[in-house]
């Protein structure tokens, strides 16, 4: 991973991240809390810093107009996806780090159309701290019932093809 250049707020540099991790980028929220990123995880404010490994970050965006930084975590179908919204006036290098680290975890992403424009994505992600182990995810688009037997069959076939494509049995 290339080194990001720029200043990290002092409070962010001193954030209590997991042992062996180093703060690479950070920002302060409007409330004065820290948001930091390391090589393997994003840390969001909470009673303790909330650690989200990069492969569990589904999406992160920042809108300069309202200064809202939104992070959605990978979720399970049928359950509410965890979404965190923070006011961050100056994200600094944090956005670049988030984009770089999340992208680095994606090994494969394929869309499988099913019917009427609806389908699902098969995604393989590699955690930064666990060697070659892959995490396999299936993201269903709206109007597609994952409980449908035909959809389940297509998911199983798509996962088999995707694993073959990346060289897994």
């Amino acid at each position: 991973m290339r080194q990001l250049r720029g200043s990290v707020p002092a409070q962010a540099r001193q954030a209590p991240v997991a042992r062996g991790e180093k703060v690479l980028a950070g920002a302060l929220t409007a409330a004065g809390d820290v948001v930091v990123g390391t090589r393997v995880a994003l840390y969001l404010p909470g009673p303790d810093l909330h650690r989200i490994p990069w492969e569990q970050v589904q999406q992160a965006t920042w809108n300069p107009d309202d200064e809202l930084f939104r992070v959605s975590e990978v979720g399970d179908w049928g359950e509410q996806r965890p979404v965190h919204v923070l006011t961050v006036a100056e994200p600094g290098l944090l956005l670049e780090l988030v984009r770089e680290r999340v992208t680095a975890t994606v090994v494969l992403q394929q869309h499988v159309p099913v019917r009427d424009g609806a389908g699902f994505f098969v995604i393989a992600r590699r955690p930064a701290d666990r060697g070659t182990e892959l995490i396999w995810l299936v993201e269903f688009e709206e109007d597609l019932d994952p409980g449908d037997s035909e959809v389940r069959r297509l998911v199983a076939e798509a996962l088999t093809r995707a694993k073959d494509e990346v060289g897994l049995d």
Side-chain angles (χ1 to χ4, degrees), residues 10 15 18 20 36 44 47 50 56-57 62 70 72 88 90 102 105 109 125 127 132-133 138 142 144 153 158:
V36 297
L44 302 177
H50 177 63
Q56 294 298 317
V57 175
W62 179 70
R70 288 181 173 83
S72 61
V88 176
E90 295 293 329
V102 170
T105 70
Q109 181 169 317
R125 295 182 80 174
T132 60
E133 176 187 341
V138 177
E142 287 186 42
L144 191 66
R153 183 185 66 76

Side-chain angles (χ1 to χ4, degrees), residues 89-108:
E90 295 293 329
L93 297 175
L94 186 63
L95 295 178
E96 184 179 345
L97 180 69
V98 169
R99 187 175 305 112
E100 181 179 286
R101 298 313 304 152
V102 170
T103 300
T105 70
V106 178
V107 174
L108 175 134

Side-chain angles (χ1 to χ4, degrees), residues 8-64:
V8 176
Q11 300 99 307
R13 278 194 306 271
Q14 297 168 4
V17 297
R19 185 180 176 110
E21 292 184 41
K22 177 183 173 187
V23 173
L24 299 176
L28 299 177
T29 68
D33 296 318
V34 296
V35 179
V36 297
T38 69
R39 184 180 69 79
V40 296
L42 176 66
Y43 288 81
L44 302 177
D48 293 316
L49 284 180
H50 177 63
R51 184 180 187 274
I52 308 170
W54 291 120
E55 71 275 7
Q56 294 298 317
V57 175
Q58 193 267 337
Q59 182 179 37
T61 60
W62 179 70
N63 182 333

